[in-house]
Amino acid sequence: MPFIDAGGITVHYDLTGPADAPVLLFANSIGTSFHIWDAMVPVLAQRYRVLRYDMRGHGLTQATPVTGDAGYGMDTLADDAAALLDALGIARAHVCGLSIGGMMAQRLAVKAPRRVNGLILCDTAGLIGPPSVWADRIAAIRARGMAGIADGVMARWFTERFRAEHPAQVRGYAAMLGRTTEDGYVGCAMAIRDADLRAANAGIAAPTLVVVGDQDLATPPALARELADSIPGARFALLPDAAHIPCVERPDELAALIDGFLRGLPLR
């Protein structure tokens, strides 16, 4: 299992694919690890050097303490991604983020435009709220632990059909959520709560694809379309029969969308 010191924390990552291929960086959603992308790697790693990492406080990446009402902040999470690229000697990458990973990717594309070739924003938005949603979830975690939010989260992550047909997978993802550190989840929840990226997104220069599951309750299609409309030249794609984690429910379809989009970009 590769680990590296980057941005003042120890980061768990995976890098696979041809050494001379364009790098494709994946950023996970809140409460998950980089394993949500597993089913897409065999296809995409044939053409890209696929870099996945666990966000701060998630998976096997180090958590930093959350004190009071101050979370990690979206700038911190974007800086984490840039620091990982630096530590691995990667100057530029295509960047794909899901949910909070997509918010991080938006911020990275604004803060460090020269680092981002193509941008894929999955089931995310410039503002995911209202803040009361995150305040209630943080309170529930502090009162009952991570397991206390699992049922509600699974209902948002996956469609009813997927939950019925793949109960073992859903239990596995509930376990993944439950093993996320409280500091990591709360710190990232506060980062989402406090982030409004909508105005800054007009400055994103990277070619952008916005993808959303047609049954996503957490970041509904209307919100994703609003995100696409806010980014100059962004494309929008609706993924059928998917909720908030399409890389698990519809990995082949999502991989095809990403590959088709990136193949159409000019070499830089």
Side-chain angles (χ1 to χ4, degrees):
M1 290 186 291
F3 294 89
I4 197 166
D5 290 333
I9 60 172
T10 300
V11 178
H12 180 226
Y13 73 98
D14 179 76
L15 182 60
T16 188
D20 59 347
V23 174
L24 174 54
L25 170 68
F26 283 102
N28 58 291
S29 56
I30 191 169
T32 69
S33 75
F34 70 53
H35 288 296
I36 60 171
W37 308 104
D38 280 357
M40 296 169 54
V41 172
V43 173
L44 292 174
Q46 297 178 39
R47 182 174 175 84
Y48 306 96
R49 191 141 174 83
V50 176
L51 172 59
R52 299 175 295 158
Y53 75 103
D54 292 335
M55 193 168 291
R56 182 180 292 243
H58 287 63
L60 299 181
T61 290
Q62 181 181 349
T64 48
V66 173
T67 56
D69 199 43
Y72 292 161
M74 208 56 66
D75 276 355
T76 295
L77 299 178
D79 292 345
D80 285 348
L84 176 61
L85 294 175
D86 288 341
L88 294 171
I90 297 168
R92 300 176 65 91
H94 301 303
V95 180
C96 176
L98 173 67
S99 194
I100 189 176
M103 297 189 86
M104 182 288 298
Q106 294 167 56
R107 192 66 193 132
L108 181 66
V110 170
K111 290 191 70 178
R114 295 183 180 180
R115 310 302 299 267
V116 180
N117 284 329
L119 185 64
I120 304 103
L121 305 175
C122 299
D123 296 81
T124 190
L127 175 71
I128 302 177
S132 59
V133 169
W134 299 104
D136 291 346
R137 194 173 302 178
I138 290 165
I141 290 168
R142 286 178 166 162
R144 304 190 301 276
M146 293 300 301
I149 67 169
D151 288 346
V153 169
M154 293 305 108
R156 288 187 293 274
W157 280 5
F158 303 115
T159 61
E160 183 177 358
R161 177 178 177 179
F162 185 87
R163 298 196 309 274
E165 294 180 353
H166 303 280
Q169 277 193 268
V170 174
R171 288 193 297 271
Y173 282 99
M176 177 185 284
L177 173 68
R179 291 173 186 173
T180 304
T181 66
E182 287 192 23
D183 276 337
Y185 194 100
V186 169
C188 284
M190 290 176 173
I192 298 171
R193 178 199 65 189
D194 297 340
D196 186 347
L197 310 176
R198 293 174 295 180
N201 281 347
I204 291 177
T208 302
L209 171 67
V210 177
V211 182
V212 66
D214 66 344
Q215 298 180 50
D216 190 340
L217 301 177
T219 51
L223 203 59
R225 191 177 291 278
E226 180 181 299
L227 172 62
D229 290 343
S230 74
I231 298 172
R235 306 177 198 177
F236 176 82
L238 191 66
L239 201 56
D241 303 316
H244 193 57
I245 314 285
C247 46
V248 171
E249 287 198 271
R250 292 288 180 267
D252 294 342
E253 293 89 338
L254 181 57
L257 279 173
I258 291 171
D259 184 45
F261 169 69
L262 294 180
R263 281 175 183 260
L265 300 185
L267 295 175
R268 292 198 285 173

